[in-house]
Amino acid sequence: MKDYFDLLELQKMVREGLEGLFPEKLWVKAEVASINAKLGGHCYLELVQTLDGAVVSKARATIWASRWRTIKPYFESVTGSTLAAGMEILVQVQVSYSEIYGFSLSISDINPDFSLGKKEAQRRETIKRLQQEGLMDLQKGLSLPALPYRFAVISASDAAGYGDFTRHLLQNPYGFAFEVELFAASMQGVDCPQSVADAIARISENAEAYDAVLILRGGGSALDLDCYDDYVMASAIAHCPLPVLTAVGHDRDFHICDMVSFAYLKTPTALADELIGIFEAEDARLSEFASRMKLAFTNRISQMELRLQNLLTRITSADPRNILKRGYVLVSDERGVVVKSAGAFKRGDRMKLLFADGQVDADIIKVTENKI
């Protein structure tokens, strides 16, 4: 009798033992380390478990084409995202062992609600930590200039949202001038939080050159945007010395980065509208002030014109020529001195009578004074 096993014999025993130990399908929690989905074919994954950042377990897994065609669209419809590396998933598996390929798992189902629930739990923990550290309202203590126009923008350089924002802002119909400087960063995936935090650090080194920091990211799935619930990014935003305005995702999205920021808008274009609106409001205020000043000056001038007209009327009314036109006569002696009393003349004196249409020289023949 031999006292050893052939390799094949040993592996058959292992296979029989494993498959006998796990005859039924199992639900297993694991993290996707890598994924390779063949077009129209099978989907191959490497699943891992980590502890303190180190991989402590690893296994190959396969979703056969017949199941992948069903699992893939359902997972995407629930989570709004494709299955990707870095996700923690709950999968239903059949344990198998091959004498050639070794231990592996055949995946027959994935629970998409678990992936969403896991992210929500992490999100709540992050919010709690930020609250405990006093970071949730740190940005709210800052203030924007009355007319902010110098912006440090954090975005991917080729992102559609960034392009829409700059066109909308810089080509505004009013001709308002803005300055925009891009600080390129990775805006999704596991590298996103640290990349954004690094960009904020670079901006903070020259904070006096800007009025605000803008973080822009267009729409995406729920899992694509879960990096905006990350503690590293939120902490960097909270500690930024400049007001940080965020515009991440769609109208329905609200992330932790929005909570800790100075202000948030739903989309990059909406943020551009908000900034333009600040200048519109100021322009309207100045226009109203100018109109009120113009009206005040107009009223003042009208009052002065009225006073002047009244003065002219009085002057005109007092003009001797106008009095003479009404039938009166101006009497003066021969030297031209106005005489207002008949007693000033005696017989033989000469007098001048000034009418509206001419002058008459006359000799005094008789003077008769009225007795009062």
Side-chain angles (χ1 to χ4, degrees), residues 34-92:
S34 66
I35 181 170
N36 182 13
K38 302 297 183 181
L39 186 62
H42 312 309
C43 178
Y44 301 98
L45 304 95
E46 184 178 70
L47 303 179
V48 297
Q49 182 176 342
T50 59
L51 182 62
D52 297 328
V55 176
V56 295
S57 181
K58 182 186 298 185
R60 292 183 298 105
T62 304
I63 308 176
W64 304 113
S66 58
R67 294 296 303 147
W68 180 238
R69 285 193 291 269
T70 303
I71 290 174
K72 180 179 184 294
Y74 179 66
F75 183 87
E76 291 176 353
S77 68
V78 174
T79 65
S81 180
T82 57
L83 195 62
M87 290 183 182
E88 191 166 38
I89 58 176
L90 184 64
V91 292
Q92 187 180 49

Side-chain angles (χ1 to χ4, degrees), residues 64-285:
W64 304 113
S66 58
R67 294 296 303 147
W68 180 238
R69 285 193 291 269
T70 303
I71 290 174
K72 180 179 184 294
Y74 179 66
F75 183 87
E76 291 176 353
S77 68
V78 174
T79 65
S81 180
T82 57
L83 195 62
M87 290 183 182
E88 191 166 38
I89 58 176
L90 184 64
V91 292
Q92 187 180 49
V93 302
Q94 180 70 61
V95 176
S96 61
Y97 187 87
S98 166
E99 291 83 350
I100 301 295
Y101 301 107
F103 179 83
S104 66
L105 302 173
S106 296
I107 298 175
S108 58
D109 200 2
I110 301 179
N111 185 342
D113 294 327
F114 172 84
S115 298
L116 289 176
K118 183 69 175 179
K119 294 300 181 183
E120 180 58 28
Q122 292 174 345
R123 188 174 186 269
R124 291 176 182 175
E125 285 298 316
T126 300
I127 293 173
K128 182 179 179 181
R129 180 179 176 184
L130 291 166
Q131 289 173 335
Q132 291 173 341
E133 295 176 0
L135 300 182
M136 291 298 289
D137 298 319
L138 208 56
Q139 275 274 313
K140 306 303 187 292
L142 302 177
S143 60
L144 277 174
L147 293 174
Y149 68 94
R150 305 173 303 163
F151 303 115
V153 176
I154 300 175
S155 178
S157 58
D158 58 349
Y162 171 65
D164 292 342
F165 169 82
T166 53
R167 282 192 297 274
H168 204 72
L169 184 71
L170 301 181
Q171 299 175 16
N172 67 86
Y174 309 99
F176 299 141
F178 297 95
E179 296 176 9
V180 174
E181 183 175 351
L182 175 66
F183 288 78
S186 174
M187 302 307 288
Q188 72 178 53
V190 294
D191 296 331
C192 175
Q194 190 59 55
S195 184
V196 171
D198 291 343
I200 291 175
R202 295 197 302 274
I203 295 167
S204 299
E205 292 174 355
N206 190 28
E208 65 278 1
Y210 311 102
D211 295 324
V213 177
L214 314 181
I215 298 178
L216 309 181
R217 168 67 159 83
S221 68
L223 291 180
D224 283 341
L225 299 175
D226 66 7
C227 53
Y228 294 92
D229 291 324
D230 186 87
Y231 172 81
V232 170
M233 183 189 297
S235 178
I237 291 173
H239 285 104
C240 182
L242 291 167
V244 178
L245 287 71
T246 57
V248 176
H250 300 291
D251 289 346
R252 66 177 183 274
D253 298 315
F254 184 60
H255 302 280
I256 293 178
C257 71
D258 300 323
M259 297 179 188
V260 300
S261 66
F262 176 81
Y264 80 97
L265 279 299
K266 292 296 187 180
T267 64
T269 301
L271 177 54
D273 283 333
E274 182 72 13
L275 297 174
I276 295 170
I278 293 174
F279 280 76
E280 281 187 273
E282 182 64 12
D283 187 57
R285 189 186 71 83

Side-chain angles (χ1 to χ4, degrees), residues 341-349 364-370:
S341 172
F345 292 106
K346 61 182 181 298
R347 184 176 178 177
D349 288 343
I364 304 298
I365 297 175
K366 181 180 179 180
V367 176
T368 303
E369 294 186 58
N370 295 329

